[in-house]
Amino acid sequence: MSDDEDFEVEGPELAADDPMRAFLPQAFGKKSKEADVAAQLSRSKRPVEKAPVKIEAAAEVGEGRGRLAQEPASKDYGSDDDDDSDDSEEPEDDEYPVSHELVLKTHERAVTTASLDPSGGRLVTGSTDCTLKLHDFASMTPTTLRAFKSVDPSASKTSTNSETHPINHVEFNPLSGGTFLCVSAHPQAKIMSRDGEVLAEFVKGDMYLRDMNNTKGHISEVTTGTWNPVDKNLCVTAGTDSTLRIWDVNHKRAQKEVIVHKSRAAGSAGRTRMTAVAWGSPLQGGPNMLIAAALDGSLVMWSGDGPFARPAAEIREAHKSNTWTGGLDISSDGRMVVTRGGDDLIKLWDTRKFKTPVVTVSHPSTSDHYAMTNIKYSPNSSSIITGSASGHLHILNPGNLKAELVTPVTPGSPLITVQWHPKINQIVTGSANAEVHVLYNPNTSVRGAVDVMSRAPKKRHVDDDPNFTTDQSVGISGDSIVTPGGVLTNSNASSFSARHPTVGLTASGRSRDPRRPQIPMVTPFMKSQPDEAHINQSIPLSSMRDEDPREALLKYAELAKKDPLFTNAWKDTQPVTQYANLSDEEEDEGPDKKKVKR
């Protein structure tokens, strides 16, 4: 056979859909790990409800507008994904960033609050499972959608039996992305770093004082809070003790200002619960304003810079009394205020004529079960977004509060919290089924979830499964290093080591593994020992216990001689103290000797 002749090797041909093709090599040599961005984005595309829903809604026109509220104003609702329709309705799709979604299932119970930092790179979510989950978009891939840290802000170092509280509200500082405000169902709010460390904990007030103006902090549960829009060091918290308190993050021992709201409702004894607060500042400048809602149905407005002795305007029956008004937001121009009450109403108010609502629409409330239900303006105040009890996201017109788009996010599970980030143009939602949805559009959104879905999926490794690399009898990795005073961090009640604390130990409590050092038992006495840093911060002059009292007094001896405190008036006329000089004979004689008896 010559070299010029062509020859073919016959072999069995596989069909295009044969599953055996998955085991055949596609190429030889080292393969580059690249992501099929288009395929990953298409997998994250949200399903569109079909046309029968629209027809059903149209058939109910005569029965009322309750059905029409579920129909969006956009034309692509219920349309098929044809090439012709996509080309003709592309601008309509890009109006709102809701075409794709990223789902984070990191919590165990209802997600009540979520906040993105000013750059849009870090997401903090709070839940009724009493934990904060910190997510970093830069480190997530399509196959590793998890939080890099879980924090319990109520956990104490001194006791393992510390109380835990549900998270009511978290909010990043809009002017300083390194800190965020954490409000739990507790009288003390906290300032935390973006890595989950507690930087400051505001003080609790004296609950036995009747006049709230004399207390240094909240005496009962804090419901919500927010940051000052122009001063990065100031924040405000609203509590169930009928007060708003303005704090300076650098002075946690007492609030800067206390605003006492006196309720005029019958039988309230002048007290009520503050349910929502918003602090807004016009983009073009001008005075900022502080607006709060209360359980007695009132809506109160103060000047953001003070004085706070009496409100600038007050509406007594803005919403029905004894219903929880959890949603409150101010537009970017500072002229309009939107509230969502527990009386199934959404109302729009004009700050220049703060007496009657401009528009009122009906919207089923979920604040009876989830008090943290909110309502928010879009970044440029061109829309208003809120959730619903059916799990739909409602995008409303800011002028007449009519629904421009209603899209299902978690059908059948109430949508509690929403936030529309201005920089990355993405909407973050939290629902009662413990899911966090990040809605985005690849054409108009930047970074965030778009970057996550554009990365190559991380390959699974045997070490990713903890069952293969964890010593189940101890609950930690087999090759980990444990210091003698160390504490097992991940041994919770669901782990094998927590349920079987004596497995793998001898009768004396030592480990059967000779390589593992013995961890001393934590006795009740050790648990009650307070942290030294906590003592120095909480108790004034506590550092004096480490100082020698004699040296502490003698260091003031020279100062007392030069500048006496009590005899300073007679310093010039005071005679010099003179002592009698002893002679040498008196020194040698010593004491008198006893006379010898004869």
Side-chain angles (χ1 to χ4, degrees), residues 62 78 90 117 124 157 199 221 245 247 329 354 383 387 396 404 456 499 539 544 562 581:
E90 187 175 356
D117 70 338
V124 176
K157 295 180 181 178
L199 301 178
E221 177 185 338
R245 299 178 190 263
W247 303 86
D329 199 19
F354 207 61
S383 303
L396 312 177
E404 294 186 347
R499 287 182 277 111
I539 304 177
M544 291 182 63
K562 293 181 178 179
N581 296 323

PDB file of all heavy atoms in Angstrom, residues 62 78 90 117 124 157 199 221 245 247 329 354 383 387 396 404 456 499 539 544 562 581:
ATOM      1  N   GLY A  62     -65.392  41.621  34.995  1.00  0.00           N
ATOM      2  CA  GLY A  62     -66.630  42.119  35.568  1.00  0.00           C
ATOM      3  C   GLY A  62     -66.747  41.926  37.064  1.00  0.00           C
ATOM      4  O   GLY A  62     -67.550  42.578  37.709  1.00  0.00           O
ATOM      5  N   GLY A  78     -46.870  35.980  29.361  1.00  0.00           N
ATOM      6  CA  GLY A  78     -47.560  34.846  28.780  1.00  0.00           C
ATOM      7  C   GLY A  78     -47.217  34.581  27.343  1.00  0.00           C
ATOM      8  O   GLY A  78     -47.849  33.751  26.699  1.00  0.00           O
ATOM      9  N   GLU A  90     -37.665  43.210  22.803  1.00  0.00           N
ATOM     10  CA  GLU A  90     -36.419  43.262  23.570  1.00  0.00           C
ATOM     11  C   GLU A  90     -36.343  44.469  24.493  1.00  0.00           C
ATOM     12  O   GLU A  90     -35.960  44.333  25.645  1.00  0.00           O
ATOM     13  CB  GLU A  90     -35.237  43.242  22.602  1.00  0.00           C
ATOM     14  CG  GLU A  90     -33.908  43.120  23.295  1.00  0.00           C
ATOM     15  CD  GLU A  90     -32.778  42.986  22.311  1.00  0.00           C
ATOM     16  OE1 GLU A  90     -33.050  42.908  21.106  1.00  0.00           O
ATOM     17  OE2 GLU A  90     -31.626  42.973  22.761  1.00  0.00           O
ATOM     18  N   ASP A 117     -23.995  45.632  49.978  1.00  0.00           N
ATOM     19  CA  ASP A 117     -23.105  46.757  50.271  1.00  0.00           C
ATOM     20  C   ASP A 117     -23.125  47.747  49.105  1.00  0.00           C
ATOM     21  O   ASP A 117     -23.642  47.435  48.032  1.00  0.00           O
ATOM     22  CB  ASP A 117     -21.689  46.257  50.580  1.00  0.00           C
ATOM     23  CG  ASP A 117     -20.997  45.697  49.359  1.00  0.00           C
ATOM     24  OD1 ASP A 117     -21.705  45.307  48.412  1.00  0.00           O
ATOM     25  OD2 ASP A 117     -19.758  45.636  49.335  1.00  0.00           O
ATOM     26  N   VAL A 124     -25.711  40.326  52.626  1.00  0.00           N
ATOM     27  CA  VAL A 124     -25.987  39.851  53.981  1.00  0.00           C
ATOM     28  C   VAL A 124     -27.484  39.629  54.102  1.00  0.00           C
ATOM     29  O   VAL A 124     -28.280  40.510  53.758  1.00  0.00           O
ATOM     30  CB  VAL A 124     -25.507  40.857  55.044  1.00  0.00           C
ATOM     31  CG1 VAL A 124     -25.891  40.383  56.434  1.00  0.00           C
ATOM     32  CG2 VAL A 124     -24.011  41.039  54.969  1.00  0.00           C
ATOM     33  N   LYS A 157     -19.302  34.741  73.916  1.00  0.00           N
ATOM     34  CA  LYS A 157     -18.105  33.932  74.119  1.00  0.00           C
ATOM     35  C   LYS A 157     -18.082  33.290  75.501  1.00  0.00           C
ATOM     36  O   LYS A 157     -17.459  32.264  75.705  1.00  0.00           O
ATOM     37  CB  LYS A 157     -16.849  34.799  73.956  1.00  0.00           C
ATOM     38  CG  LYS A 157     -16.664  35.350  72.556  1.00  0.00           C
ATOM     39  CD  LYS A 157     -15.414  36.184  72.486  1.00  0.00           C
ATOM     40  CE  LYS A 157     -15.214  36.760  71.102  1.00  0.00           C
ATOM     41  NZ  LYS A 157     -14.005  37.612  71.037  1.00  0.00           N
ATOM     42  N   LEU A 199     -18.651  45.183  66.005  1.00  0.00           N
ATOM     43  CA  LEU A 199     -17.806  46.335  66.297  1.00  0.00           C
ATOM     44  C   LEU A 199     -18.326  47.132  67.491  1.00  0.00           C
ATOM     45  O   LEU A 199     -17.526  47.668  68.270  1.00  0.00           O
ATOM     46  CB  LEU A 199     -17.724  47.247  65.068  1.00  0.00           C
ATOM     47  CG  LEU A 199     -17.158  46.622  63.788  1.00  0.00           C
ATOM     48  CD1 LEU A 199     -17.176  47.630  62.651  1.00  0.00           C
ATOM     49  CD2 LEU A 199     -15.750  46.098  64.012  1.00  0.00           C
ATOM     50  N   GLU A 221     -37.700  45.672  72.892  1.00  0.00           N
ATOM     51  CA  GLU A 221     -37.249  45.200  71.578  1.00  0.00           C
ATOM     52  C   GLU A 221     -37.137  46.313  70.541  1.00  0.00           C
ATOM     53  O   GLU A 221     -37.994  47.191  70.452  1.00  0.00           O
ATOM     54  CB  GLU A 221     -38.219  44.127  71.080  1.00  0.00           C
ATOM     55  CG  GLU A 221     -37.911  43.602  69.687  1.00  0.00           C
ATOM     56  CD  GLU A 221     -38.951  42.628  69.190  1.00  0.00           C
ATOM     57  OE1 GLU A 221     -39.664  42.041  70.025  1.00  0.00           O
ATOM     58  OE2 GLU A 221     -39.064  42.446  67.961  1.00  0.00           O
ATOM     59  N   ARG A 245     -34.277  56.481  68.506  1.00  0.00           N
ATOM     60  CA  ARG A 245     -33.014  56.901  69.117  1.00  0.00           C
ATOM     61  C   ARG A 245     -31.953  57.032  68.040  1.00  0.00           C
ATOM     62  O   ARG A 245     -31.728  56.105  67.262  1.00  0.00           O
ATOM     63  CB  ARG A 245     -32.580  55.910  70.204  1.00  0.00           C
ATOM     64  CG  ARG A 245     -33.601  55.825  71.335  1.00  0.00           C
ATOM     65  CD  ARG A 245     -33.218  54.817  72.393  1.00  0.00           C
ATOM     66  NE  ARG A 245     -34.332  54.595  73.315  1.00  0.00           N
ATOM     67  CZ  ARG A 245     -34.480  55.188  74.492  1.00  0.00           C
ATOM     68  NH1 ARG A 245     -33.584  56.075  74.895  1.00  0.00           N
ATOM     69  NH2 ARG A 245     -35.509  54.920  75.269  1.00  0.00           N
ATOM     70  N   TRP A 247     -28.094  57.360  67.134  1.00  0.00           N
ATOM     71  CA  TRP A 247     -26.846  56.916  67.738  1.00  0.00           C
ATOM     72  C   TRP A 247     -25.659  57.402  66.930  1.00  0.00           C
ATOM     73  O   TRP A 247     -25.737  57.518  65.704  1.00  0.00           O
ATOM     74  CB  TRP A 247     -26.790  55.389  67.804  1.00  0.00           C
ATOM     75  CG  TRP A 247     -27.908  54.735  68.538  1.00  0.00           C
ATOM     76  CD1 TRP A 247     -29.126  54.387  68.021  1.00  0.00           C
ATOM     77  CD2 TRP A 247     -27.929  54.329  69.912  1.00  0.00           C
ATOM     78  NE1 TRP A 247     -29.901  53.803  68.983  1.00  0.00           N
ATOM     79  CE2 TRP A 247     -29.185  53.744  70.160  1.00  0.00           C
ATOM     80  CE3 TRP A 247     -27.006  54.397  70.950  1.00  0.00           C
ATOM     81  CZ2 TRP A 247     -29.546  53.230  71.393  1.00  0.00           C
ATOM     82  CZ3 TRP A 247     -27.357  53.882  72.181  1.00  0.00           C
ATOM     83  CH2 TRP A 247     -28.613  53.311  72.405  1.00  0.00           C
ATOM     84  N   ASP A 329     -40.953  54.072  52.854  1.00  0.00           N
ATOM     85  CA  ASP A 329     -39.784  54.517  52.088  1.00  0.00           C
ATOM     86  C   ASP A 329     -40.042  55.919  51.544  1.00  0.00           C
ATOM     87  O   ASP A 329     -41.192  56.329  51.339  1.00  0.00           O
ATOM     88  CB  ASP A 329     -39.483  53.551  50.940  1.00  0.00           C
ATOM     89  CG  ASP A 329     -38.058  53.702  50.422  1.00  0.00           C
ATOM     90  OD1 ASP A 329     -37.224  54.266  51.160  1.00  0.00           O
ATOM     91  OD2 ASP A 329     -37.762  53.261  49.299  1.00  0.00           O
ATOM     92  N   PHE A 354     -48.708  67.181  53.854  1.00  0.00           N
ATOM     93  CA  PHE A 354     -48.661  65.952  54.645  1.00  0.00           C
ATOM     94  C   PHE A 354     -49.911  65.844  55.517  1.00  0.00           C
ATOM     95  O   PHE A 354     -49.848  65.934  56.751  1.00  0.00           O
ATOM     96  CB  PHE A 354     -47.384  65.967  55.501  1.00  0.00           C
ATOM     97  CG  PHE A 354     -46.876  64.592  55.858  1.00  0.00           C
ATOM     98  CD1 PHE A 354     -46.495  63.698  54.884  1.00  0.00           C
ATOM     99  CD2 PHE A 354     -46.764  64.209  57.184  1.00  0.00           C
ATOM    100  CE1 PHE A 354     -46.018  62.443  55.214  1.00  0.00           C
ATOM    101  CE2 PHE A 354     -46.292  62.959  57.533  1.00  0.00           C
ATOM    102  CZ  PHE A 354     -45.919  62.075  56.541  1.00  0.00           C
ATOM    103  N   SER A 383     -40.056  53.495  39.906  1.00  0.00           N
ATOM    104  CA  SER A 383     -40.950  52.379  40.217  1.00  0.00           C
ATOM    105  C   SER A 383     -40.951  52.162  41.722  1.00  0.00           C
ATOM    106  O   SER A 383     -40.081  52.647  42.449  1.00  0.00           O
ATOM    107  CB  SER A 383     -40.514  51.097  39.497  1.00  0.00           C
ATOM    108  OG  SER A 383     -40.450  51.284  38.103  1.00  0.00           O
ATOM    109  N   GLY A 387     -43.460  42.893  47.819  1.00  0.00           N
ATOM    110  CA  GLY A 387     -43.868  41.504  47.675  1.00  0.00           C
ATOM    111  C   GLY A 387     -45.338  41.326  47.996  1.00  0.00           C
ATOM    112  O   GLY A 387     -46.066  42.291  48.272  1.00  0.00           O
ATOM    113  N   LEU A 396     -44.775  48.629  40.876  1.00  0.00           N
ATOM    114  CA  LEU A 396     -45.881  49.572  40.786  1.00  0.00           C
ATOM    115  C   LEU A 396     -45.427  50.889  40.173  1.00  0.00           C
ATOM    116  O   LEU A 396     -44.258  51.271  40.272  1.00  0.00           O
ATOM    117  CB  LEU A 396     -46.467  49.837  42.177  1.00  0.00           C
ATOM    118  CG  LEU A 396     -46.781  48.613  43.047  1.00  0.00           C
ATOM    119  CD1 LEU A 396     -47.273  49.061  44.412  1.00  0.00           C
ATOM    120  CD2 LEU A 396     -47.815  47.725  42.372  1.00  0.00           C
ATOM    121  N   GLU A 404     -47.364  47.668  37.188  1.00  0.00           N
ATOM    122  CA  GLU A 404     -46.760  47.650  35.855  1.00  0.00           C
ATOM    123  C   GLU A 404     -46.255  46.261  35.494  1.00  0.00           C
ATOM    124  O   GLU A 404     -46.196  45.903  34.327  1.00  0.00           O
ATOM    125  CB  GLU A 404     -45.606  48.660  35.792  1.00  0.00           C
ATOM    126  CG  GLU A 404     -46.054  50.106  35.939  1.00  0.00           C
ATOM    127  CD  GLU A 404     -44.914  51.077  35.735  1.00  0.00           C
ATOM    128  OE1 GLU A 404     -43.755  50.627  35.734  1.00  0.00           O
ATOM    129  OE2 GLU A 404     -45.184  52.281  35.578  1.00  0.00           O
ATOM    130  N   ALA A 456     -16.912  29.495  35.194  1.00  0.00           N
ATOM    131  CA  ALA A 456     -16.935  28.061  34.948  1.00  0.00           C
ATOM    132  C   ALA A 456     -17.323  27.338  36.224  1.00  0.00           C
ATOM    133  O   ALA A 456     -16.879  27.710  37.315  1.00  0.00           O
ATOM    134  CB  ALA A 456     -15.563  27.587  34.478  1.00  0.00           C
ATOM    135  N   ARG A 499     -24.338  14.064  69.382  1.00  0.00           N
ATOM    136  CA  ARG A 499     -25.314  13.081  69.828  1.00  0.00           C
ATOM    137  C   ARG A 499     -24.663  11.922  70.571  1.00  0.00           C
ATOM    138  O   ARG A 499     -25.317  11.210  71.328  1.00  0.00           O
ATOM    139  CB  ARG A 499     -26.106  12.573  68.618  1.00  0.00           C
ATOM    140  CG  ARG A 499     -27.099  13.607  68.101  1.00  0.00           C
ATOM    141  CD  ARG A 499     -27.924  13.097  66.938  1.00  0.00           C
ATOM    142  NE  ARG A 499     -27.220  13.234  65.662  1.00  0.00           N
ATOM    143  CZ  ARG A 499     -26.781  12.216  64.964  1.00  0.00           C
ATOM    144  NH1 ARG A 499     -26.933  10.990  65.397  1.00  0.00           N
ATOM    145  NH2 ARG A 499     -26.162  12.401  63.815  1.00  0.00           N
ATOM    146  N   ILE A 539     -16.849  48.174  82.299  1.00  0.00           N
ATOM    147  CA  ILE A 539     -16.726  48.699  83.653  1.00  0.00           C
ATOM    148  C   ILE A 539     -15.639  49.764  83.684  1.00  0.00           C
ATOM    149  O   ILE A 539     -14.475  49.476  83.378  1.00  0.00           O
ATOM    150  CB  ILE A 539     -16.396  47.567  84.652  1.00  0.00           C
ATOM    151  CG1 ILE A 539     -17.455  46.465  84.572  1.00  0.00           C
ATOM    152  CG2 ILE A 539     -16.284  48.106  86.069  1.00  0.00           C
ATOM    153  CD1 ILE A 539     -17.185  45.290  85.459  1.00  0.00           C
ATOM    154  N   MET A 544      -7.637  49.137  86.890  1.00  0.00           N
ATOM    155  CA  MET A 544      -6.857  49.427  88.099  1.00  0.00           C
ATOM    156  C   MET A 544      -6.582  48.170  88.920  1.00  0.00           C
ATOM    157  O   MET A 544      -5.690  48.168  89.767  1.00  0.00           O
ATOM    158  CB  MET A 544      -7.608  50.438  88.974  1.00  0.00           C
ATOM    159  CG  MET A 544      -7.684  51.831  88.373  1.00  0.00           C
ATOM    160  SD  MET A 544      -8.508  52.988  89.455  1.00  0.00           S
ATOM    161  CE  MET A 544      -7.406  52.992  90.853  1.00  0.00           C
ATOM    162  N   LYS A 562       3.756  69.751  95.424  1.00  0.00           N
ATOM    163  CA  LYS A 562       3.860  71.006  94.670  1.00  0.00           C
ATOM    164  C   LYS A 562       2.522  71.737  94.616  1.00  0.00           C
ATOM    165  O   LYS A 562       2.465  72.953  94.737  1.00  0.00           O
ATOM    166  CB  LYS A 562       4.356  70.729  93.262  1.00  0.00           C
ATOM    167  CG  LYS A 562       5.800  70.226  93.207  1.00  0.00           C
ATOM    168  CD  LYS A 562       6.217  70.007  91.749  1.00  0.00           C
ATOM    169  CE  LYS A 562       7.672  69.545  91.661  1.00  0.00           C
ATOM    170  NZ  LYS A 562       8.077  69.297  90.270  1.00  0.00           N
ATOM    171  N   ASN A 581      15.308  67.039 116.664  1.00  0.00           N
ATOM    172  CA  ASN A 581      16.452  66.212 116.305  1.00  0.00           C
ATOM    173  C   ASN A 581      16.879  65.373 117.505  1.00  0.00           C
ATOM    174  O   ASN A 581      17.047  65.876 118.619  1.00  0.00           O
ATOM    175  CB  ASN A 581      17.616  67.081 115.849  1.00  0.00           C
ATOM    176  CG  ASN A 581      17.276  67.847 114.580  1.00  0.00           C
ATOM    177  OD1 ASN A 581      16.583  67.313 113.720  1.00  0.00           O
ATOM    178  ND2 ASN A 581      17.749  69.084 114.491  1.00  0.00           N
TER     179      ASN A 581
END
